[in-house]
């Protein structure tokens, strides 16, 4: 079991990794204006934003839709059709659930932003809670816009049927709100939080850097990443052997020196973090595993991965322990399995937290964005890339090592960017990053064709707007193409 590092207020038990989580759903209380009277009410309202985001049928299934089609994995069961670049009814039902959950989080954030300001309490504390709501609303819209394109921009809580009608905003308008929310968050969130799992100003800055990178605002991405790096708040967790990565991804890890923002899960509340998606059902790595994804040694990303890289040793396995302790080879039709998230003591849920942002991402954002700004790599960009690479091989991140890239090996802008993108693929394997890297660099069709022989259509790059939204929102406009 994860141990509590701090004594938590009861309301926070609704989402933090801990031993006992309340089952009461506070959302039903939030519709009443009379709920918002005290600081404790304001805190409870903010904590309620997290539940929809971290639920099994929102964030986890949302990410699974991408994993099945990425160039290192094949999906099984409900994810099998995705490997062929096809969204079937089972996939659509899951994306519908995610869409609904993200908007539920947005509604809860909007309730906070509407009803918390009049509460009499310390203004710094109040602004920090409002900053948290802005951050989580930005995160929800960021999840939405990259997956569905332009969506309705709801900045007020939907408290009547009359408020359900709203046209789709453009993607640009959604990104504008995301940036606005994150700027508020970075100005009002604290430098640090006593409780793991809550965002800080550095979380907001990191997400801003990521949004700028995704929208190709290279200088803004570079400069915002630099703010986080030079703050000295974070550092790479030292690794000398593969098992050391458990300090970051293991089920008992509460936080780490590179944890910028994570979704927190607990063994005790029946939550299903990504540990369940990757392990086979008879595996000791997750007794209730679904075995949803596997890889093939012919996939270029896996084929070319240096086995001296400790991330390969930690992430990839071809044999595994069963629950009775025996070691068996992977099934012949699933030769490569992924072990980043595993919990041998899953009962009744997995304790592995899910990282949204880790410190290595700021280093790699800086490296890529600085390269784009300068139309070629600088020594500083190469050094930031090397910091991540050195740690991966067990070397000190800040000292010269035998695995370093140089300005000579990364001689052109495209060569260096390719090195950064491959490093991102290995560093963030199974963290829902690869698909979006391929989409934003406009290489998804080429890469998946080369890896799997799959022809990805333009329609597949966005999920369908849920039919319920189409039916109940007369102003929604056109469905995404192909659905």
């Amino acid at each position: 079991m994860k141990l509590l590092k701090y004594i938590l207020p009861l309301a926070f038990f609704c989402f933090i990794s801990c031993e006992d989580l309340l089952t009461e759903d506070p959302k039903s209380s939030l519709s009443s204006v009379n709920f918002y009277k005290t600081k404790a009410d304001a805190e409870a309202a903010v904590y309620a934003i997290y539940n929809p985001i971290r639920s099994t049928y929102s964030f986890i299934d949302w990410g699974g839709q991408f994993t099945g089609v990425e160039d290192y994995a094949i999906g099984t069961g409900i994810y099998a059709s995705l490997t062929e670049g096809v969204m079937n009814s089972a996939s659509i039902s899951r994306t519908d659930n995610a869409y609904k959950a993200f908007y539920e989080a947005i509604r809860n954030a909007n309730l906070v932003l509407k009803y918390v300001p009049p509460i009499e309490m310390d203004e710094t504390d109040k602004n920090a809670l409002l900053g948290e709501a802005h951050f989580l609303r930005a995160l929800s819209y960021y999840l939405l816009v990259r997956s569905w394109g332009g969506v309705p921009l709801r900045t007020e809580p939907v408290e009547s049927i009359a408020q359900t009608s709203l046209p789709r905003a453009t993607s640009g308008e959604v990104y504008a709100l995301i940036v606005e929310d994150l700027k508020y968050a970075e100005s009002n969130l604290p430098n640090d939080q006593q409780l793991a799992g809550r965002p800080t100003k550095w979380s907001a800055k990191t997400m801003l850097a990521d949004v700028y990178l995704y929208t190709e605002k290279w200088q803004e991405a570079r400069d915002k990443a630099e703010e986080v790096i030079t703050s000295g708040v974070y550092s790479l967790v030292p690794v000398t052997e593969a098992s050391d990565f458990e300090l970051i991804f293991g089920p008992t890890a509460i936080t780490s020196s590179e944890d910028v923002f994570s979704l927190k899960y607990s063994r005790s509340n029946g939550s299903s973090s990504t540990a369940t998606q990757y392990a086979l059902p008879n595996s000791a790595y997750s007794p209730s595993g679904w075995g949803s994804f596997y890889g093939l040694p012919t996939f270029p990303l896996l084929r070319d991965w240096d086995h001296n890289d400790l991330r390969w040793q930690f992430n990839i396995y071809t044999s595994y322990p069963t629950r009775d302790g025996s070691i068996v080879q992977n099934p012949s039709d699933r030769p490569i399995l992924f072990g980043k998230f595993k919990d041998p003591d899953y009962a009744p849920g997995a304790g592995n937290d899910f990282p949204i942002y880790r410190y290595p991402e700021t280093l790699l954002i800086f490296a890529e964005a600085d390269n784009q700004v300068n139309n070629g790599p600088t020594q500083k960009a190469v050094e930031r890339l090397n910091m991540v690479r050195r740690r991966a091989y067990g070397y000190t991140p800040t000292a010269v090592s035998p695995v370093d890239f140089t300005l000579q090996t990364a001689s052109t802008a495209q060569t260096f960017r390719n090195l950064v993108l491959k490093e991102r693929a290995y560093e963030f394997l199974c963290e829902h990053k690869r698909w979006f890297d391929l989409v934003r660099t406009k290489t998804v069709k080429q890469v998946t064709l080369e890896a799997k022989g799959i022809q990805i259509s333009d329609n597949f790059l966005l999920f369908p707007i849920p039919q319920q939204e189409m039916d109940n929102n007369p102003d929604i406009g056109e469905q995404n193409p192909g659905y």
Side-chain angles (χ1 to χ4, degrees):
M1 292 284 184
K2 288 191 178 182
L3 300 178
L4 287 176
K5 189 174 180 181
Y6 303 94
I7 297 175
L8 309 180
L10 284 177
F12 197 68
F13 276 48
C14 66
F15 76 94
I16 193 70
S17 293
C18 58
E19 296 214 5
D20 298 301
L21 279 80
L22 296 179
T23 57
E24 179 182 359
D25 185 350
K27 295 187 295 296
S28 60
S29 303
L30 299 183
S31 59
S32 171
V33 178
N34 295 328
F35 176 83
Y36 303 89
K37 293 182 178 179
T38 67
K39 178 181 178 180
D41 295 338
E43 291 173 337
V46 169
Y47 303 152
I49 305 170
Y50 289 84
N51 283 349
I53 300 173
R54 62 179 292 280
S55 69
T56 300
Y57 298 106
S58 60
F59 186 82
I60 302 304
D61 271 341
W62 165 84
Q65 307 304 308
F66 307 113
T67 305
V69 75
E70 285 171 336
D71 58 326
Y72 64 87
I74 291 177
T76 67
I78 61 173
Y79 300 108
S81 68
L82 299 168
T83 300
E84 302 300 324
V86 175
M87 286 281 290
N88 62 17
S89 59
S91 297
I92 291 173
S93 70
R94 281 161 176 76
T95 61
D96 285 358
N97 287 337
Y99 182 98
K100 178 182 177 182
F102 298 152
Y103 266 111
E104 186 178 327
I106 289 167
R107 176 182 181 270
N108 290 352
N110 287 337
L111 285 165
V112 169
L113 298 176
K114 181 175 181 178
Y115 292 116
V116 166
I119 295 176
E120 293 186 7
M121 57 183 289
D122 179 84
E123 286 300 311
T124 299
D125 292 344
K126 181 192 295 185
N127 289 336
L129 291 174
L130 295 174
E132 195 167 354
H134 277 287
F135 176 87
L136 295 171
R137 186 172 73 175
L139 174 61
S140 299
Y141 272 121
Y142 195 37
L143 297 172
L144 283 164
V145 70
R146 290 178 298 164
S147 305
W148 285 270
V151 292
L153 273 185
R154 300 190 182 278
T155 56
E156 293 286 334
V158 177
E159 298 175 287
S160 69
I161 296 177
Q163 293 175 288
T164 59
S165 296
L166 195 66
R168 294 179 70 172
T170 65
S171 293
E173 290 169 336
V174 178
Y175 280 115
L177 179 65
I178 291 169
V179 170
E180 181 183 330
D181 275 347
L182 290 174
K183 285 183 176 180
Y184 183 97
E186 73 170 330
S187 297
N188 290 279
L189 283 169
N191 286 328
D192 56 66
Q193 294 273 16
Q194 287 187 322
L195 299 170
R198 299 181 69 180
T200 66
K201 67 184 295 182
W202 308 110
S203 310
K205 288 177 183 292
T206 300
M207 187 174 166
L208 260 176
D210 184 33
V211 171
Y212 288 143
L213 186 80
Y214 200 83
T215 55
E216 299 187 344
K217 295 182 178 179
W218 306 120
Q219 184 168 330
E220 291 91 335
R222 179 195 64 182
D223 294 348
K224 196 57 64 174
E226 179 74 351
E227 289 181 36
V228 180
I229 295 166
T230 57
S231 71
V233 172
Y234 303 103
S235 62
L236 296 172
V237 172
V239 169
T240 56
E241 56 185 40
S243 61
D244 289 339
F245 282 108
E246 292 289 355
L247 298 172
I248 304 170
F249 303 107
T252 60
I254 296 175
T255 188
S256 74
S257 63
E258 64 183 63
D259 182 6
V260 178
F261 182 70
S262 299
L263 298 179
K264 300 298 178 179
Y265 291 90
S266 169
R267 288 171 173 169
S268 63
N269 73 335
S271 65
S272 295
S273 73
T274 36
T276 58
Q277 285 193 316
Y278 294 102
L280 294 175
N282 67 330
S283 167
Y285 292 154
S286 185
S288 296
W290 304 331
S292 302
F293 306 104
Y294 66 93
L296 296 178
T298 55
F299 291 165
L301 196 65
L302 302 180
R303 180 197 64 206
D304 299 338
W305 199 346
D306 183 0
H307 292 194
N308 293 315
D309 187 332
L310 297 178
R311 295 172 302 191
W312 183 91
Q313 299 174 27
F314 180 72
N315 283 300
I316 303 300
Y317 64 92
T318 57
S319 64
Y320 61 92
T322 63
R323 277 175 281 176
D324 63 11
S326 59
I327 303 297
V328 299
Q329 289 295 121
N330 291 358
S332 59
D333 61 344
R334 302 184 190 188
I336 292 177
L337 294 171
F338 308 107
K340 175 172 281 186
F341 302 102
K342 48 186 178 287
D343 185 356
D345 296 321
Y346 174 113
N352 309 80
D353 298 336
F354 192 88
I356 305 298
Y357 291 111
R358 295 189 289 114
Y359 180 57
E361 188 147 14
T362 63
L363 295 170
L364 296 177
I365 288 174
F366 177 92
E368 182 180 352
D370 186 63
N371 175 66
Q372 296 299 106
V373 168
N374 291 290
N375 195 31
T378 63
Q379 188 60 54
K380 194 171 187 179
V382 173
E383 174 62 15
R384 297 281 166 77
L385 170 60
N386 281 335
M387 288 176 67
V388 179
R389 182 171 171 82
R390 291 164 187 156
R391 193 274 293 272
Y393 282 82
Y395 295 107
T396 302
T398 54
V400 174
S401 81
V403 299
D404 283 6
F405 294 122
T406 66
L407 283 173
Q408 288 69 41
T409 57
S411 56
T412 68
Q414 189 58 55
T415 299
F416 183 75
R417 193 182 193 197
N418 289 342
L419 291 174
V420 174
L421 291 168
K422 179 170 279 192
E423 202 67 31
R424 284 180 60 92
Y426 292 146
E427 181 66 29
F428 304 123
L429 191 83
C430 302
E431 293 182 48
H432 305 341
K433 305 282 186 180
R434 179 64 172 172
W435 171 260
F436 294 113
D437 280 347
L438 295 177
V439 170
R440 69 180 175 84
T441 56
K442 300 176 178 62
T443 58
V444 64
K445 294 184 180 182
Q446 173 190 340
V447 169
T448 51
L449 179 62
E450 291 176 354
K452 299 180 173 181
I454 301 171
Q455 295 280 357
I456 297 292
S457 68
D458 289 337
N459 297 341
F460 192 76
L461 300 181
L462 292 177
F463 293 152
I465 300 294
Q467 190 59 47
Q468 185 177 14
E469 175 81 272
M470 299 297 294
D471 293 340
N472 295 335
N473 182 354
D475 294 331
I476 187 67
E478 295 183 356
Q479 175 61 275
N480 282 334
Y483 298 103

